[in-house]
Amino acid sequence: MSVTTPEIQSQLDSLVSLETGEIDRRIFSDEQIFDLEMKYIFGRAWLFLCHESQIPKRGDFFEAPMGRDNVLVVRQRDGDIKVLLNTCTHRGNAVCRAEEGNVKNFMCTYHGWTFGLDGELIGVPGMSTFYANGLDKSKHPLRQPAQVAGYRGFVFATFDPDAPPLEEFLGPTGILSLDLIAEKGDMEVVPGIQKFVLRCNWKFTVDNVFDFYHPQITHMSAIAVGAIPVTSNVIDDGGAKNEEGQDLGVAQLSTDMQAITMLGEYGHAISGPSQLAVEAQIPQEYRSVFDWRHTPETQAKLGPNGSLVGGHPHIFPTTWLTVDSQLSLRIPRSPGVTEVWWFSFRDKNASPEEKAAQLSRQIHAFGPAGMLEQEDGENWSQSTMQTRGDQSRRVPQALKMGIRRGKIRHEDGLNIIESPVNEYAQLWTYYAWKEWLKNPSWDELRTRTVPGDLL
Ligand code: FES
Ligand SMILES: [Fe+2]
């Protein structure tokens, strides 16, 4: 017997518990839950589409996902930006097959209906013959999402006409997240978005964004070959010995790295080591990655708390920004398949040598050629696979690190926890996720996702 939407919604509180830190594995493989995610998260949230630098000239376009829909972000003749649903209003074919480029208009390859840059239907083959001029072209434009807005060049859209304005949705946590890239200079996206597919549930790729527990183990080989810039391997595997004093090979972490976690409304979060901890760990040749932080202007813009962030920001539901100026979209394709996109940013005014060095660091870390995501991807695929076993799926996920010890300080609109490495941001993301799936009003959703004083 199939479970209805209201039945699933009534079970959500039992699937994710802030009190125990336990999460039901069903949320990673259930088709109906995936459908609810598409409807109530991706059908409502502001979603990142692209950066304005990708479409500088009139007729430039970039195709981006919004849930299961594809949209074209198009630079208009007057310099404005419009977002068009990439589906022909005749019989549904995609009106554009390219992922990005420059056009004068969009001609559908099925029967030739042609749409202007603004989405208006401007050409219909056989208008005077087959249609006997009886088709009202003004009634068949390409459809558009309800709202489109930008923040410092980052373009977002939402299908929900009732969604709050973009900056209200982002709130101080989301805005700080984008500022951490935008403040680095006159930022532009390096041409060419890296795209690849992983066989895992999208939420594993999201909760890993904040996971500074795993690098020392998962990325041991990347650390060994110098792909992760840390001064020393922080593994201490000598902690566990048997009665004869033999090493049991149990990995223990010797790091006491301090972390800063910020929990935002609607499920946004920033979490990871503090800036000071990061700078203490990285070798000299990588220091330039952080130099920009130390100017008085930047410190003033980011504020005292923002200046201390050294970890990863995440804008709910799927936009991750990295320390080295990359942005990743984790795009759900099905419960078990996620597409990952990487946008790499650089300062337009940087020297050719700086640009080359940064790009080399970026592509060696993340993306299909990056060591980190190859290692992460294996874990996420296995974790997803185990949520399908009849017995394995009954074992709850345990996100208990630091639980009930996270004292939240509320300052500058931010909700800050200073502590050792933890799982607060992951738990917060799952908590917000289940509140989104209940489909409350925007006011109610915001109220429910304002962090209290303890997590
Ligand atoms: S489906 Fe596009 S012209 Fe027919
Ligand atoms: Fe990783």
Side-chain angles (χ1 to χ4, degrees):
M1 195 177 72
S2 72
V3 184
T4 64
T5 296
E7 266 180 83
I8 294 180
Q9 287 180 304
S10 71
Q11 295 167 14
L12 287 166
D13 286 330
S14 67
L15 298 178
V16 176
S17 168
L18 275 189
E19 281 66 43
T20 63
E22 294 191 355
I23 292 168
D24 192 314
R25 290 186 179 178
R26 191 171 132 195
I27 73 168
F28 299 105
S29 56
D30 187 291
E31 293 276 355
Q32 282 178 298
I33 287 179
F34 186 83
D35 285 344
L36 286 191
E37 290 172 339
M38 288 296 119
K39 203 163 151 189
Y40 295 141
I41 296 177
F42 294 88
R44 295 185 75 190
W46 281 97
L47 301 169
F48 171 78
L49 305 180
C50 73
H51 189 260
E52 285 207 34
S53 63
Q54 295 176 261
I55 46 169
K57 299 190 299 292
R58 70 168 73 157
D60 283 352
F61 71 90
F62 180 79
E63 190 189 42
M66 289 182 72
R68 282 185 276 221
D69 293 299
N70 292 316
V71 295
L72 300 161
V73 191
V74 189
R75 182 71 71 176
Q76 301 296 297
R77 295 184 200 286
D78 63 1
D80 198 10
I81 286 175
K82 277 198 194 309
V83 178
L84 311 171
L85 215 53
N86 190 7
T87 180
C88 182
T89 49
H90 178 217
R91 299 248 293 278
N93 186 27
V95 295
C96 178
R97 304 294 184 89
E99 296 172 6
E100 55 189 300
N102 182 277
V103 288
K104 289 197 172 54
N105 48 51
F106 296 102
M107 190 199 77
C108 177
T109 55
Y110 202 164
H111 312 91
W113 282 26
T114 301
F115 301 85
L117 297 180
D118 58 359
E120 289 301 318
L121 177 58
I122 53 175
V124 175
M127 185 66 172
S128 60
T129 51
F130 305 144
Y131 283 103
N133 289 319
L135 182 77
D136 182 352
K137 293 207 295 279
S138 71
K139 293 216 159 50
H140 302 277
L142 297 179
R143 302 301 196 260
Q144 299 180 28
Q147 302 186 61
V148 179
Y151 176 76
R152 301 189 79 177
F154 296 87
V155 182
F156 288 74
T158 170
F159 286 123
D160 188 348
D162 298 326
L166 173 63
E167 290 190 29
E168 215 176 296
F169 170 79
L170 293 170
T173 310
I175 284 175
L176 173 61
S177 301
L178 297 175
D179 283 345
L180 284 166
I181 285 189
E183 270 305 297
K184 289 180 176 173
D186 192 359
M187 303 306 280
E188 65 177 4
V189 171
V190 179
I193 307 306
Q194 293 186 286
K195 303 175 178 180
F196 61 105
V197 175
L198 293 171
R199 303 191 73 76
C200 67
N201 184 268
W202 66 277
K203 294 185 288 300
F204 281 116
T205 72
V206 169
D207 88 24
N208 184 260
V209 162
F210 311 113
D211 190 324
F212 284 81
Y213 185 35
H214 82 288
Q216 298 88 341
I217 303 296
T218 296
H219 302 307
M220 206 181 283
S221 55
I223 292 171
V225 298
I228 298 185
V230 292
T231 45
S232 62
N233 189 333
V234 290
I235 294 294
D236 168 9
D237 65 355
K241 307 215 185 288
N242 67 12
E243 286 166 3
E244 282 82 49
Q246 290 165 326
D247 193 336
L248 290 175
V250 178
Q252 299 203 341
L253 306 181
S254 61
T255 180
D256 56 357
M257 190 164 63
Q258 282 301 298
I260 294 195
T261 300
M262 294 177 176
L263 307 176
E265 298 78 17
Y266 303 119
H268 313 311
I270 304 176
S271 188
S274 77
Q275 178 65 15
L276 298 175
V278 172
E279 291 195 30
Q281 279 213 353
I282 57 166
Q284 194 62 40
E285 63 267 29
Y286 283 92
R287 293 285 154 85
S288 65
V289 176
F290 301 98
D291 284 349
W292 67 279
R293 295 244 195 180
H294 299 298
T295 67
E297 299 78 36
T298 305
Q299 300 249 333
K301 175 75 188 172
L302 298 179
N305 293 301
S307 303
L308 283 177
V309 170
H312 291 150
H314 186 257
I315 296 170
F316 192 91
T318 49
T319 304
W320 169 26
L321 300 111
T322 74
V323 177
D324 207 359
S325 306
Q326 286 178 286
L327 182 154
S328 179
L329 276 184
R330 337 293 268 174
I331 305 162
R333 295 301 190 197
S334 72
V337 177
T338 300
E339 194 164 324
V340 177
W341 287 13
W342 281 100
F343 300 70
S344 297
F345 286 78
R346 66 185 174 197
D347 182 355
K348 272 185 203 160
N349 304 316
S351 68
E353 294 75 25
E354 283 169 327
K355 285 180 181 170
Q358 182 179 30
L359 189 58
S360 170
R361 286 196 307 270
Q362 290 170 328
I363 59 182
H364 281 94
F366 297 111
M371 279 199 77
L372 301 190
E373 230 154 27
Q374 295 183 34
E375 295 169 332
D376 288 324
E378 288 296 318
N379 291 336
W380 303 334
S381 296
Q382 284 297 323
S383 296
T384 300
M385 198 184 296
Q386 309 318 322
T387 65
R388 299 197 198 105
D390 276 345
Q391 298 301 315
S392 305
R393 74 177 174 209
R394 297 178 201 186
V395 182
Q397 301 291 93
L399 293 166
K400 294 170 184 263
M401 193 180 292
I403 192 165
R404 311 309 292 162
R405 286 189 282 125
K407 289 202 177 52
I408 302 177
R409 178 163 57 84
H410 306 279
E411 213 173 281
D412 306 331
L414 301 164
N415 311 288
I416 306 157
I417 306 174
E418 288 176 75
S419 71
V421 168
N422 59 75
E423 289 172 336
Y424 299 131
Q426 291 96 320
L427 196 51
W428 184 248
T429 304
Y430 286 114
Y431 165 75
W433 170 88
K434 74 147 162 101
E435 294 302 327
W436 277 82
L437 287 200
K438 292 176 188 170
N439 195 31
S441 70
W442 279 97
D443 281 349
E444 184 62 24
L445 180 59
R446 188 179 187 288
T447 304
R448 290 188 206 165
T449 55
V450 172
D453 297 328
L454 189 73
L455 192 71

